[in-house]
Amino acid sequence: MLQPHRPPARSVFGSLVLIAIVIGASAAAFAYTAGWLSPQRLTPDKMVDALTPPTVDPLGHRRNHAKGICFTGIFEANGAGSALSQAQVFTRGQYPALGRFNVATPDPKAADATVRVRGLGLLISTPDGQEWRTAMIDAPVFPASTPQAFYDLLLASASKDPDAMKTYAGAHPEIAAFGAWAKSAPWTGSYAEDRFNSLNSFIFVDNSGAEHAVRWSLLPAAQPVPVPPDELAKRGPDFLEQEITQRVGSGPQHWTMVVTIANPGDPTADPTKVWPEDRHIVEVGTLTVERIEAERDGPCRDINFDPTVLPTGIRTSDDPFPAARSSAYAKSYDRRTAEAQDYPRTTTGAKP
Ligand code: HEM
């Protein structure tokens, strides 16, 4: 008669030890990822928590740039970018574009004239199945030089200590360039008149494999008309989306995409530092916004304009921001999509 096979006692013990090691290692990995082993470490959760002031109800919305409106259109490449990057998006031709105009506030109900920074999220798709996602702002520099400094700035601006911002600025004098822009740059009455800048640096890889450190911007075709913010306030809390809906309704709006190439030694890891004016600039194409669509029902609502989603031919540089942004945007995306019942889609929504 066959006897049931009994493994030797030592091998059972060995298996149990192995299982314990695997479970222990997984638990340690979870604990590390959650930041429990290093409470000082900056996690996406902490970053996203710090973005939302206690007075704001963000449920269902982006945790920054919460107020915005979708658009669709075309990116027409003129072919000049192909000398810098092998990405198909720079080959002469037309590619579908999807985007979102927005104001840089965590409050989806903020009045437009109270928000200094405006943004533009953009996704361009190419027939090779690749995508270029980017999120740009109208400021020419970022207020913080590292993700940790940005987090500290968020904490300082939310602090009850009346000296917190002064203390922050003392420790981070690099905020001055952004401060000067915020104080003196003219406001416009339209997204169509604004310039949008990547600020972060990326690497273009050309067909020979050579690399070029770059930043990019969208320059408006419309002439900017300065309007003081108290004048803008009279136009109503949502004047920006009303104006762009009307404007695009009467004709497509255009921006020229320009790529600025760094000289060797230009700072690529710090978006508080502008590059000198004489850097080589290449016009690579035109973004045409053809149609405005309400965000609530629109195609940009469930898009994460993650700046690390890049086609072959564009990659991240030593700039630490895109990776930090990617993880924070993913956290924001997870939260807002899990809260969809707090921001329900509506088929009767005010579609422009
Ligand atoms: C560490 C620094 C940053 C953090 C933590 C951060 C955080 C965020 C978050 C959480 C969102 C919402 C994402 C979503 O739910 O889809 C967002 C959106 C956005 N951010 Fe940032 N951001 C940072 C830096 C920047 C920089 C440097 C720029 C521009 C140069 C920028 C431009 C934008 C724009 C335009 C949007 C709106 C995109 C859209 O319409 O979905 N951000 N940011």
Side-chain angles (χ1 to χ4, degrees):
M1 205 173 103
L2 278 175
Q3 293 294 319
H5 172 71
R6 287 221 179 91
R10 243 208 339 228
S11 106
V12 171
F13 180 73
S15 304
L16 289 175
V17 169
L18 195 67
I19 290 168
I21 289 172
V22 169
I23 292 174
S26 308
F30 273 112
Y32 173 78
T33 307
W36 299 337
L37 303 180
S38 46
Q40 299 311 315
R41 192 161 59 88
L42 181 53
T43 61
D45 268 308
K46 280 199 216 167
M47 186 69 104
V48 170
D49 287 346
L51 279 165
T52 313
T55 49
V56 162
D57 174 11
L59 292 181
H61 293 269
R62 285 165 166 83
R63 292 314 201 254
N64 201 7
H65 299 254
K67 187 178 183 189
I69 189 156
C70 301
F71 67 77
T72 47
I74 291 287
F75 176 70
E76 179 158 13
N78 61 17
S82 294
L84 297 169
S85 164
Q86 55 192 255
Q88 192 175 33
V89 70
F90 297 118
T91 305
R92 194 182 178 84
Q94 294 195 337
Y95 308 103
L98 156 66
R100 181 171 175 269
F101 295 111
N102 52 70
V103 281
T105 166
D107 182 0
K109 297 198 174 84
D112 293 343
T114 62
V115 188
R116 176 69 272 211
V117 174
R118 296 175 189 165
L120 185 149
L122 183 63
L123 184 166
I124 307 173
S125 334
T126 42
D128 60 1
Q130 302 207 38
E131 288 184 353
W132 180 14
R133 300 191 189 195
T134 173
M136 298 169 260
I137 57 173
D138 59 349
V141 281
F142 201 61
S145 59
T146 62
Q148 179 68 50
F150 182 60
Y151 176 69
D152 294 342
L153 174 60
L154 293 173
L155 296 188
S157 57
S159 170
K160 293 201 173 84
D161 172 1
D163 291 331
M165 277 306 289
K166 224 162 58 187
T167 310
Y168 177 89
H172 296 278
E174 66 279 3
I175 197 177
F178 176 85
W181 170 82
K183 218 156 91 184
S184 66
W187 296 59
T188 73
S190 177
Y191 286 124
E193 297 171 14
D194 292 333
R195 169 187 174 132
F196 298 98
N197 308 298
S198 75
L199 301 189
N200 294 134
S201 306
F202 294 82
I203 304 292
F204 277 12
V205 185
D206 68 25
N207 284 318
S208 74
E211 302 195 333
H212 313 270
V214 299
R215 290 171 174 167
W216 54 78
S217 298
L218 286 172
L219 313 185
Q223 182 64 33
V225 179
V227 187
D230 49 348
E231 191 55 43
L232 292 176
K234 295 185 198 145
R235 301 185 182 181
D238 306 321
F239 77 88
L240 278 173
E241 56 191 66
Q242 289 158 359
E243 195 276 348
I244 197 72
T245 303
Q246 213 174 12
R247 193 159 182 151
V248 174
S250 23
Q253 298 296 309
H254 308 280
W255 285 257
T256 303
M257 183 174 280
V258 296
V259 172
T260 305
I261 304 159
N263 275 9
D266 283 346
T268 48
D270 183 348
T272 65
K273 294 199 165 64
V274 284
W275 295 341
E277 293 245 320
D278 65 352
R279 293 300 179 256
H280 187 47
I281 293 175
V282 181
E283 281 188 22
V284 296
T286 304
L287 172 69
T288 298
V289 171
E290 297 177 322
R291 190 178 148 80
I292 298 292
E293 317 212 28
E295 186 198 59
R296 185 177 276 261
D297 297 305
C300 73
R301 170 177 160 153
D302 294 340
I303 298 290
N304 170 354
F305 292 97
D306 176 339
T308 63
V309 176
L310 300 165
T312 306
I314 308 181
R315 65 169 181 78
T316 52
S317 68
D318 59 350
D319 187 328
F321 275 91
R325 292 173 64 186
S326 178
S327 63
Y329 291 24
K331 183 57 66 182
S332 168
Y333 186 85
D334 283 353
R335 290 189 187 179
R336 64 187 170 89
T337 49
E339 300 155 352
Q341 73 282 3
D342 295 291
Y343 182 39
R345 285 182 186 281
T346 158
T347 46
T348 54
K351 248 191 172 155

